[in-house]
Amino acid sequence: MTHWFHRNPLKATAPVSFNYYGVVTGPAASKICSDLRSSRARLLELFTDVSCNPEMMKTAADSYFSLLQGFINSLDESSQESKLRYIQNFKWTDTLQGQVPSAQQDAVFELISMGFNVALWYTKYASRLAGKENVTEDEAKEVHRSLKTAAGIFKHLKEAHIPKLITPAEKGRDLEARLIEAYIIQCQAEAQEVTIARAIELKHAPGLIAALAFETANFYQKADHTLSSLEPAYSAKWRKYLLLKMCFYTAYAYCYHGQTLLASDKCGEAIRSLQEAEKLYAKAEALCKEYGETKGPGPTVRPSGHLFFRKLGSLVKNTLEKCQRENGFIYFQKVPTDAPQLELKANYGLVEPVPFAFPPASAQWTPEALAAFDLTKRPPRSP
């Protein structure tokens, strides 16, 4: 079992020193600033460290986020915000919009942007693991878990934190509803690809595989629709990926649906179902070529040469030939003009995001530590 997933680049950010000369009036506050600086730098390093695993990522992310919480929430767990929320300016680029950063003087913006990158890291980790030639069962489970974790982080950001921003996200930026929704759906769809591969390996009933493939194709269609109103200049390549996966998994659904029809002695309908699979596979192949030629964020690869893609092509061809042989010898059934309607519902294997929450504030945030940040000593802003 091997997979291929499209990935947009990570977000980039400007360094943050957390130096507040004059404002920091005691060793506890000074230590918090020093730890914020080092834990942020450590987390940013791990995003591009190929030896990093989910345990290392969670430890580093929790370390930074627990310290950052003191800049966001009051210590008494009330709904009040911290007096430090607007003390620091943060700059981040976006996954689709290249090198032009967004900046906000708001610790919530930092929490969301860094959280977004953590979710992206989980998707990239899953992609790296899933792209190997021989993926073990344990590795497949890790891929599945990482994609569900990423979906859960994106969902939590969208529902619990993005609404708290004072400055709403601009159109086409990562924190805008359409983009973050597309990321959530893509993670769910890709996790279901792992479920489908496992179901095929375990030789589950073709009806279940067809239903899972159909649901997965619908996920990809929904993600593409979510991005349809964005500028093609930066969304075209991502959308080609979503469309080719939609065609690919619809072809899978027709292929396995054809096997179900053949087992029910409906050979004519089975042939028509396989013919539809063949047509959709050819369409997916054409989209693979277009994907490789489309400029935009993401890898420059030819997915049609990938093993996961070639395997379906031979499966469709062999199954169609088998149906045609059996129809010529046994059934002699007429092949319908219209393809069968796929009204398939999967009762098992559908993916839900893993619930996520940021860690509570670090134990370093005592009332004394917070009091040691004296905002009356802030130097006046230059006009």
Side-chain angles (χ1 to χ4, degrees):
M1 182 204 77
T2 180
H3 296 276
W4 168 75
F5 302 134
H6 165 93
R7 290 293 173 258
N8 292 325
L10 286 162
K11 295 162 77 65
T13 182
V16 179
S17 68
F18 295 101
N19 284 333
Y20 307 114
Y21 302 113
V23 172
V24 171
T25 62
S30 185
K31 176 84 166 69
I32 284 172
C33 291
S34 169
D35 289 353
L36 272 165
R37 185 166 55 249
S38 59
S39 61
R40 187 180 197 263
R42 171 67 180 147
L43 185 50
L44 292 171
E45 268 171 30
L46 284 182
F47 288 144
T48 53
D49 182 348
V50 290
S51 67
C52 180
N53 61 39
E55 291 71 35
M56 291 164 68
M57 178 53 63
K58 181 169 171 24
T59 301
D62 283 357
S63 171
Y64 179 58
F65 290 136
S66 66
L67 287 164
L68 190 64
Q69 290 284 22
F71 276 48
I72 296 168
N73 300 312
S74 63
L75 297 185
D76 60 5
E77 301 292 314
S78 73
S79 58
Q80 278 190 306
E81 63 187 32
S82 167
K83 67 179 184 180
L84 303 173
R85 178 173 169 181
Y86 307 105
I87 196 173
Q88 177 67 53
N89 191 44
F90 297 95
K91 282 185 187 176
W92 285 89
T93 63
D94 291 88
T95 55
L96 296 186
Q97 301 243 21
Q99 304 310 308
V100 184
S102 300
Q104 289 197 33
Q105 186 121 349
D106 187 349
V108 171
F109 178 66
E110 167 73 357
L111 182 83
I112 296 164
S113 301
M114 191 68 87
F116 198 101
N117 245 18
V118 171
L120 284 176
W121 179 85
Y122 275 101
T123 71
K124 286 176 180 282
Y125 175 76
S127 182
R128 204 163 58 240
L129 209 53
K132 292 164 61 181
E133 279 298 319
N134 296 301
V135 181
T136 65
E137 186 184 337
D138 283 346
E139 286 170 334
K141 285 178 181 171
E142 184 93 322
V143 171
H144 198 254
R145 189 162 47 245
S146 295
L147 290 166
K148 290 196 298 179
T149 299
I153 297 171
F154 285 131
K155 188 168 187 282
H156 181 66
L157 294 176
K158 183 186 174 212
E159 292 174 357
H161 297 282
I162 290 173
K164 293 177 185 170
L165 285 172
I166 305 296
T167 309
E170 296 163 48
K171 187 178 175 183
R173 298 287 186 177
D174 287 338
L175 309 188
E176 198 222 322
R178 290 172 298 180
L179 260 85
I180 205 157
E181 184 64 17
Y183 275 114
I184 295 166
I185 301 166
Q186 181 180 334
C187 288
Q188 289 177 275
E190 289 174 349
Q192 280 185 199
E193 290 192 47
V194 180
T195 306
I196 292 165
R198 184 78 181 135
I200 292 167
E201 273 176 24
L202 295 175
K203 296 185 167 46
H204 277 297
L208 172 65
I209 296 167
L212 277 170
F214 186 58
E215 300 263 23
T216 303
N218 286 342
F219 264 140
Y220 279 117
Q221 186 176 28
K222 188 178 169 190
D224 174 64
H225 181 70
T226 304
L227 297 176
S228 61
S229 54
L230 291 177
E231 282 293 322
Y234 52 79
S235 64
K237 194 177 186 77
W238 192 6
R239 290 192 63 199
K240 287 280 184 231
Y241 166 77
L242 298 169
L243 284 168
L244 79 85
K245 282 287 183 88
M246 181 193 83
C247 288
F248 183 81
Y249 279 98
T250 312
Y252 244 123
Y254 274 111
C255 180
Y256 279 91
H257 186 56
Q259 292 182 26
T260 306
L261 291 167
L262 182 62
S264 308
D265 297 326
K266 295 176 180 175
C267 197
E269 289 179 48
I271 290 170
R272 186 64 189 86
S273 193
L274 266 301
Q275 286 171 343
E276 196 65 17
E278 199 171 44
K279 193 169 85 180
L280 283 156
Y281 181 77
K283 190 177 173 188
E285 203 163 24
L287 282 164
C288 282
K289 188 169 182 289
E290 289 174 28
Y291 173 87
E293 292 166 355
T294 303
K295 288 185 169 61
T300 50
V301 295
R302 287 288 173 93
S304 53
H306 201 285
L307 180 64
F308 96 97
F309 200 87
R310 297 199 311 270
K311 273 169 82 172
L312 176 61
S314 53
L315 178 67
V316 170
K317 182 173 175 285
N318 296 341
T319 313
L320 179 56
E321 285 172 0
K322 180 188 173 188
C323 289
Q324 287 168 332
R325 260 195 323 273
E326 297 204 5
N327 203 40
F329 279 112
I330 304 164
Y331 295 103
F332 306 106
Q333 289 176 3
K334 189 172 182 289
V335 177
T337 311
D338 297 326
Q341 284 294 307
L342 293 180
E343 292 172 357
L344 306 170
K345 272 296 205 203
N347 299 317
Y348 310 99
L350 292 177
V351 167
E352 283 299 321
V354 171
F356 172 81
F358 284 108
S362 162
Q364 287 177 243
W365 281 108
T366 61
E368 294 73 31
L370 185 61
F373 287 89
D374 186 351
L375 294 182
T376 63
K377 305 275 176 60
R378 276 180 91 178
R381 275 195 191 179
S382 52

